[in-house]
């Protein structure tokens, strides 16, 4: 880059990522890079940060942070883009790690990126060799909108080209920045950390099981036999994500190991998030820095950069970044999970001052180009190159231009009313207006629907407040299952007395569906184990069912279950049996003018093609898929009013073949079933016309219906129970509220899938041929 280009004036720059005081390695990186860039651009350039917040606590940021994003709220990414565009930032430096953004594989970040008007430089802190489909697609989508990528290792640069097909010209390798720590004798700062006269072995950073600290602890007996004054210091708090999921289980296990081995005088834990000054004391006081990590695929390590940058003698396992950084005798590599090798190398370094100091000097000299001011200049050069390229040919932003502009109409998901309707037993069935009507008790149908909605919401937001609801609804289903009869009961009084020994086939199958979806999406072993057990206990009874809707519910649950356990042969056989039954029933009844498997359209009609569609996809049966799609198109045709809005079949007379079609009373659950079926059709076919139909479903709740009256109540978060000819039913029961929430969640999930691979059904491609009935 020429000097003229390098001095291209920049007036405003933004960095997006986590930020201190949030305890996060990327937060430290973002703050340091932000300050370094501000130092390089001078007071004439406004450099600020957009910070990602999690659900764990409120962070009190400094003045550098100008905007905050709640990571699990999609709308806030769009608001952040509006903020950046409005403030006319010249460029954005975005820090990428899958876990710091919401949505599957962090896909919510795409909502921000596709709306930005300025060049974007994306720093990839993780590059995966074997990404799952969501991860691969997120990187591919980022590649469509990012102007440049920055990685911190040569191997990462090669992987982006070979695995993700990103042009090398768009990738820059810039090392991880480091502070300017003087090269001094380790004895200088030992008094500051209370370890005068000790040989200090240091591990630092956020504590998690993949840090392999236990292997160094097991190495300590051999070390202290040779060096009785040695002490192993483990500096750092537990990683917030690990702590949220498992508490201090790993740290407590390490404490126990130290006590069992009698190493209390030789292993110390300093459980705090050290400031940069304090960290500098520990780094310069360390005689040896050890990184016994267990994950080879770590492509970036701030810990390694800081250790080498402070002139440490490093002993590490050969994870990817360490292989590059410690080459040419800049450090020592030992095999993974090998305490003996760790002990041998540490002892040798403590024995041999000359070798240890040679490693220190090589590491320190190698990292001088990694000082933050030099790193910041390289980032600015990359941005200026992107600005020049933008002048030549602007990169086309990722667009959702289609029949469906989601952002115009989609409210946020609001569980307020569902929480009010839920007590310690489960979800109550009915309400008087928006107040729970306890006279009618509970039912398995509603608690199964609620479990599905809660699991979908958890998969989108990972909101901790939803976990108690998941436990409550799953516990209700466990209690509902009659162990002797191997069937679910349905109705329970408010006094917790079951009103039947066996519920309907449909309620049983709906519970199976909920357990299958929970199996697919469960993150915690306790939830997964219980859902799988209940699913497998309840499944055999379906073989003897005669209700087509129960077959379809079960197939939906089986399809979800098989996404988690695709090799389950019994589940696959059940899909085939139920799919064939549905298809056979269509052959008996369906004609060109009546594309259904019964001669009357009643309730839950769309669930039938939904189940058949998923079975056909699983079985690679074009006949099943085409029959299902034909049926769903026909159901939409007969339930779309002349002005173009949805008008579902009413329950006051239904719709018999050859007879009149009842307009009222319209039930919200029918709209939900249509939306679910259309969503499955879209995921399979990629035909965007299904999005139009899903939009009609959502709009029905928001007032585009036969009465032009909203069914959703924004003031309560509930949904009105039905649409009568004279008006709407003002009661807001569980079924209608869940119908709204489920439809809304379908749309929110589609907002994610619009930026992910929409073909996520673990099946091969199917030739879709129009079938004549």
């Amino acid at each position: 880059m020429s000097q003229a280009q390098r001095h291209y004036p920049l007036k405003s720059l933004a960095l997006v990522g986590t930020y201190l005081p949030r305890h996060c390695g990327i937060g430290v990186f973002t703050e340091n890079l932000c300050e370094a860039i501000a130092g390089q651009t001078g007071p004439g350039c406004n450099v600020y940060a957009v910070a990602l917040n999690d659900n764990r606590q409120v962070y009190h940021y400094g003045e550098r942070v100008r905007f905050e994003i709640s990571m699990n709220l999609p709308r806030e990414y769009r608001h952040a883009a509006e903020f950046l565009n409005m403030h006319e930032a010249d460029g954005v430096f975005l820090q990428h790690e899958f876990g710091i953004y919401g949505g599957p594989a962090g896909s919510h970040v795409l909502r921000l990126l596709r709306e930005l008007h300025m060049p974007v430089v994306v720093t990839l802190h993780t590059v995966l060799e074997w990404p799952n489909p969501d991860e691969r697609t997120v990187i591919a989508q980022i590649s469509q909108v990012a102007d440049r990528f920055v990685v911190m290792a040569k191997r990462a640069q090669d992987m982006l080209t070979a695995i993700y097909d990103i042009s090398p010209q768009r990738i820059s390798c810039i090392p991880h920045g480091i502070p300017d720590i003087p090269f001094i004798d380790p004895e200088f700062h030992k008094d500051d950390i209370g370890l005068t006269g000790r040989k200090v072995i240091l591990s630092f950073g956020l504590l998690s099981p993949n840090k392999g600290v236990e292997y160094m602890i097991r190495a300590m007996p051999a070390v202290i036999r040779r060096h009785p004054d040695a002490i192993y210091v483990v500096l750092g708090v537990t990683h917030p994500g690990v702590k949220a999921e498992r508490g201090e289980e790993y740290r407590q296990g390490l404490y126990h190991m130290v006590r069992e081995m009698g190493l209390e005088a030789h292993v110390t834990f300093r459980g705090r998030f050290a400031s940069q000054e304090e960290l500098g004391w520990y780094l310069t006081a360390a005689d040896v820095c050890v990184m016994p990590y267990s994950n080879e695929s770590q492509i970036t390590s701030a810990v390694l950069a800081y250790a080498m940058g402070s002139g440490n003698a490093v002993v590490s396992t050969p994870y990817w970044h360490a292989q590059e950084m410690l080459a040419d005798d800049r450090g020592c590599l030992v095999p993974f999970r090998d305490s003996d090798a760790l002990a041998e190398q540490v002892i040798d370094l403590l024995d041999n001052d000359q070798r240890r100091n040679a490693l220190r000097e090589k590491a320190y000299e190698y990292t001088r180009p990694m000082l933050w001011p030099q790193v910041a200049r390289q980032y600015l050069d990359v941005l200026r190159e992107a600005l020049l390229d933008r002048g030549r040919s602007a990169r086309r932003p990722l667009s959702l231009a289609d029949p469906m502009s989601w952002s115009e109409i989609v409210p946020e998901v609001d569980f307020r009313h569902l929480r009010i309707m839920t007590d310690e037993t489960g979800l109550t069935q009915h309400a008087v207006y928006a107040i729970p009507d306890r006279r009618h008790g509970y039912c398995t149908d509603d608690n199964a629907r609620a479990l599905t909605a809660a699991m979908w919401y958890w998969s989108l937001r990972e909101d901790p407040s939803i976990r108690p609801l998941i436990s409550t609804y799953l516990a209700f289903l466990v209690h509902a299952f009659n162990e002797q009869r191997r069937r679910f009961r349905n109705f329970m009084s408010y006094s917790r007395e079951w009103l039947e020994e066996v519920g309907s086939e449909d309620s049983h199958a709906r519970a199976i569906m909920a357990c299958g979806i929970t199996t697919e999406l469960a993150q915690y072993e306790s939830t997964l184990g219980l859902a799988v057990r209940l699913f497998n206990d309840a499944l055999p009874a379906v073989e003897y069912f005669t209700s087509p809707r129960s077959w379809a519910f079960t197939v939906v649950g089986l399809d979800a279950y098989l996404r988690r356990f695709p090799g389950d042969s019994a589940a696959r056989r059940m899909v085939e049996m139920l799919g064939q039954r549905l298809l056979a029933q269509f052959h008996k009844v369906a004609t060109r003018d009546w594309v259904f498997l019964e001669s009357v359209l009643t309730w839950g009609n769309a669930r039938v093609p939904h189940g058949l569609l998923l079975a056909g996809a699983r079985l690679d049966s074009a006949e099943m898929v085409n029959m299902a799609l034909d049926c769903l198109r026909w159901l939409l045709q007969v339930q779309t009013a002349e002005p173009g809005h949805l008008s579902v079949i009413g329950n006051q007379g239904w719709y018999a073949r050859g007879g009149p079609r009842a307009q009222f009373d319209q039930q919200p659950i029918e709209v939900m079933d249509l939306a679910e079926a259309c969503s499955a059709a879209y995921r399979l076919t990629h035909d965007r016309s299904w999005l139009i139909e899903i939009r009609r479903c959502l709009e029905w709740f928001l007032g585009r219906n036969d009465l032009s009256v909203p069914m959703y109540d924004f003031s309560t978060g509930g949904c009105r129970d039905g649409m009568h000819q004279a008006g709407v039913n003002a009661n807001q029961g569980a079924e209608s509220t869940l119908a709204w929430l489920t439809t809304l969640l379908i749309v929110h999930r589609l907002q994610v899938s619009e930026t992910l691979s929409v073909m996520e059904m673990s099946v091969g491609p199917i030739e879709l041929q129009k079938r004549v009935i």
Side-chain angles (χ1 to χ4, degrees):
M1 173 174 289
S2 69
Q3 288 299 316
Q5 292 169 341
R6 182 166 280 117
H7 289 92
Y8 180 90
L10 298 169
K11 297 180 180 179
S12 178
L13 297 172
L15 287 84
V16 178
T18 55
Y19 209 88
L20 290 177
R22 180 175 171 181
H23 291 172
C24 172
I26 294 179
V28 176
F29 181 95
T30 309
E31 182 183 74
N32 282 320
L33 182 60
C34 193
E35 295 300 326
I37 287 175
Q40 293 300 305
T41 55
C45 182
N46 178 26
V47 181
Y48 60 92
V50 173
L52 274 295
N53 294 333
D54 55 20
N55 298 314
R56 300 186 183 102
Q57 66 181 84
V58 175
Y59 301 102
H60 301 287
Y61 298 109
E63 292 183 359
R64 192 70 77 181
V65 173
R66 296 277 306 281
F67 198 91
E68 299 173 41
I69 300 173
S70 296
M71 61 177 285
N72 290 317
L73 294 181
R75 67 173 183 270
E76 296 198 5
Y77 292 84
R78 189 171 64 252
H79 295 162
E82 292 170 351
F83 178 88
L84 292 168
N85 291 333
M86 182 179 67
H87 285 79
E88 299 182 330
D90 292 310
V92 170
F93 297 102
L94 183 133
Q95 311 310 309
H96 182 267
E97 167 70 56
F98 292 106
I100 68 173
Y101 300 103
S107 55
H108 287 350
V109 71
L110 298 169
R111 300 169 183 273
L112 167 67
L113 290 173
R114 68 178 175 236
E115 300 291 340
L116 294 177
H117 299 161
M118 69 291 294
V120 179
V121 177
V122 176
T123 302
L124 297 176
H125 292 257
T126 295
V127 179
L128 300 175
E129 186 175 26
W130 301 105
N132 66 35
D134 284 357
E135 291 161 344
R136 180 185 292 275
T137 308
V138 165
I139 296 300
Q141 296 283 352
I142 291 175
S143 179
Q144 291 185 27
V145 290
D147 294 78
R148 290 289 192 278
F149 287 96
V150 172
V151 294
M152 303 180 207
K154 178 63 169 61
R155 182 176 185 134
Q157 196 170 16
D158 296 339
M159 289 168 61
L160 279 184
T161 300
I163 299 171
Y164 300 92
D165 197 28
I166 297 174
S167 168
Q169 284 70 41
R170 295 174 57 206
I171 309 168
S172 297
C173 188
I174 302 176
H176 195 294
I178 58 172
D180 191 3
I181 297 175
F183 187 88
I184 58 176
D185 189 282
E187 300 301 323
F188 190 84
H189 277 304
K190 286 186 179 179
D191 185 55
D192 293 319
I193 62 173
L195 295 174
T196 302
R198 304 296 294 269
K199 288 188 172 66
V200 177
I201 305 160
L202 175 67
S203 289
F204 69 98
L206 296 174
L207 189 63
S208 62
N210 63 8
K211 292 299 176 76
V213 171
E214 62 270 26
Y215 297 103
M216 189 61 224
I217 293 174
R218 294 191 185 109
M220 283 304 293
V223 174
I224 60 180
R225 279 196 296 270
R226 185 62 172 262
H227 294 278
D229 56 350
I231 185 166
Y232 180 34
V233 179
V234 181
L235 174 66
V237 297
T238 301
H239 191 290
V242 173
K243 189 172 182 178
E245 185 173 340
R246 311 288 300 217
E248 295 287 4
E249 179 183 31
Y250 179 60
R251 184 182 291 271
Q252 291 296 329
L254 297 176
Y255 290 167
H256 179 72
M257 179 184 294
V258 169
R259 289 192 298 269
E260 287 289 302
M261 297 178 69
L263 295 173
E264 292 94 331
H266 297 280
V267 178
T268 180
F269 292 85
R270 307 285 174 95
R272 55 182 175 274
F273 194 84
S275 67
Q276 185 158 302
E277 181 183 23
E278 185 183 17
L279 179 58
W281 296 344
Y282 277 91
L283 287 169
T284 53
D287 294 281
V288 178
C289 190
V290 295
M291 298 168 203
Y293 299 173
S294 58
N295 179 15
E296 182 187 25
S297 61
Q298 185 166 342
I299 200 68
T300 303
S301 172
V303 170
L304 179 58
Y306 276 51
M308 294 179 67
S310 59
N312 253 278
V314 175
V315 177
S316 174
T317 51
Y319 60 91
W320 290 341
H321 200 204
Q323 290 177 35
E324 288 189 25
M325 293 283 285
L326 299 179
D328 300 325
D329 293 325
R330 291 187 291 268
C332 305
L333 294 176
V334 297
F336 292 103
R337 304 176 184 86
D338 192 334
S339 296
D340 292 339
L342 277 167
E344 181 181 345
Q345 285 293 341
V346 171
I347 290 169
D348 184 69
L349 289 174
L350 294 179
D351 282 347
N352 191 335
D353 290 345
Q354 184 176 357
R355 181 180 179 227
R356 187 174 71 252
N357 286 326
L359 291 181
R360 293 182 62 215
E361 290 172 5
K362 283 188 175 183
Y364 193 78
E365 183 65 27
Y366 179 77
T367 54
R368 291 312 84 200
M370 296 168 57
L371 296 175
W372 277 115
Q374 297 185 51
V375 167
R377 284 195 290 272
Q378 293 182 68
Y379 271 90
L380 290 168
D381 285 348
V382 170
L383 177 63
R384 289 186 172 103
E385 289 172 359
L387 283 164
L388 290 172
D389 282 352
R390 277 286 180 110
R392 289 190 287 265
S393 59
R395 182 170 299 280
R396 181 181 180 272
L398 181 64
S399 173
L400 291 184
D402 61 44
M404 210 164 183
S405 297
W406 294 114
S407 59
E408 296 173 2
I409 61 170
V410 183
E412 267 303 321
V413 180
D414 184 351
F415 271 72
R416 274 181 303 155
H417 188 56
L418 204 68
R419 294 181 198 277
I420 290 171
M421 295 286 289
T422 302
D423 59 23
E424 63 182 8
T425 300
L427 179 64
T428 53
Q429 286 192 74
H430 295 293
V432 179
Y433 295 97
I435 307 303
D437 186 351
R438 294 168 177 165
R439 295 171 299 173
H440 300 283
Y442 316 86
C443 71
T444 294
D445 277 328
D446 287 338
N447 280 272
R449 294 185 188 104
L451 178 59
T452 295
M455 289 305 304
W456 280 3
Y457 185 70
W458 170 259
S459 73
L460 285 172
R461 303 286 189 268
E462 294 190 6
D463 180 353
S465 72
I466 210 71
R467 288 178 61 188
L469 293 181
I470 292 171
S471 297
T472 297
Y473 303 141
L474 184 56
F476 187 94
L477 295 188
V478 171
H479 192 212
F481 190 67
N482 186 326
E483 296 281 354
Q484 287 73 40
R485 304 291 291 273
R486 315 302 286 175
R487 288 283 301 276
F488 284 100
R489 294 166 284 212
N490 194 12
F491 295 107
M492 174 192 277
S493 71
Y494 187 68
S495 58
R496 297 188 181 180
E497 295 176 352
W498 287 108
L499 304 180
E500 58 195 0
E501 286 300 303
V502 173
S504 67
E505 291 182 0
D506 293 340
S507 65
H508 183 97
R510 190 177 279 109
I512 288 175
M513 184 179 92
C515 290
I517 290 168
T518 303
T519 297
E520 177 196 3
L521 300 176
Q523 181 177 348
Y524 298 100
E525 288 184 11
S526 56
T527 304
L528 175 62
L530 191 53
V532 169
R533 190 191 79 187
L534 199 55
F535 181 89
N536 287 321
D537 286 349
L539 189 60
V542 180
E543 184 176 351
Y544 306 99
F545 285 2
T546 58
S547 162
R549 287 165 184 78
S550 72
W551 303 339
F553 282 128
T554 302
V555 170
V556 176
L558 283 163
D559 181 72
Y561 172 89
L562 285 166
R563 292 181 203 171
R564 187 71 174 255
F565 300 112
D568 191 320
S569 299
R572 294 171 67 88
R573 285 192 292 270
M574 183 67 84
V575 170
E576 183 174 8
M577 180 188 72
L578 297 178
Q580 291 295 345
R581 285 185 184 179
L582 288 167
L583 184 62
Q585 192 69 18
F586 267 100
H587 285 315
K588 288 180 182 178
V589 178
T591 64
R592 183 185 299 274
D593 299 323
W594 186 267
V595 193
F596 200 63
L597 48 58
E598 294 171 339
S599 58
V600 180
L601 292 179
T602 56
W603 66 274
N605 303 305
R607 191 64 71 177
V608 172
H610 184 192
L612 185 61
L613 180 67
L614 296 182
R618 283 275 165 201
L619 301 171
D620 201 19
S621 168
E623 183 183 13
M624 287 185 185
V625 168
N626 283 302
M627 179 68 84
L629 294 175
D630 285 343
C631 175
L632 184 54
R633 291 189 188 98
W634 179 75
L635 287 174
L636 289 163
Q637 177 186 334
V638 299
Q639 295 181 101
T640 300
E642 189 173 331
H645 63 264
L646 197 64
S647 176
V648 293
I649 292 166
N651 63 12
Q652 299 301 309
W654 302 117
Y655 180 24
R657 179 154 49 182
R661 173 192 173 285
Q663 185 178 6
F664 299 103
D665 296 342
Q666 295 182 33
Q667 301 299 305
I669 195 169
E670 303 304 314
V671 182
M672 176 198 80
D673 287 342
L674 280 169
E676 283 198 64
C678 290
S679 176
Y682 175 60
R683 291 199 309 271
L684 181 63
T685 66
H686 300 252
D687 182 347
R688 301 182 80 79
S689 67
W690 297 112
L691 296 179
I692 299 173
E693 305 301 341
I694 297 169
R695 180 174 181 134
R696 282 193 231 276
C697 294
L698 187 69
E699 289 174 336
W700 184 90
F701 287 97
L702 298 175
R704 191 169 177 235
N705 50 46
D706 283 343
L707 298 183
S708 298
V709 175
M711 300 296 291
Y712 174 53
D713 185 345
F714 282 86
S715 68
T716 66
C719 178
R720 298 169 177 94
D721 275 351
M723 183 186 299
H724 311 315
Q725 188 167 5
V728 296
N729 183 335
N731 297 332
Q732 298 177 17
E735 180 184 287
S736 57
T737 297
L738 284 164
W740 156 252
L741 285 172
T742 302
T743 304
L744 183 61
L745 283 163
I746 288 166
V747 173
H748 277 274
R749 284 159 64 87
L750 278 169
Q751 286 182 309
V752 172
S753 72
E754 280 290 85
T755 53
L756 290 176
S757 170
V758 294
M759 183 58 175
E760 294 177 313
M761 303 178 72
S762 302
V763 294
I766 296 176
E767 182 181 359
L768 301 176
Q769 298 176 342
K770 187 67 178 175
R771 182 180 183 279
V772 178
I773 300 175

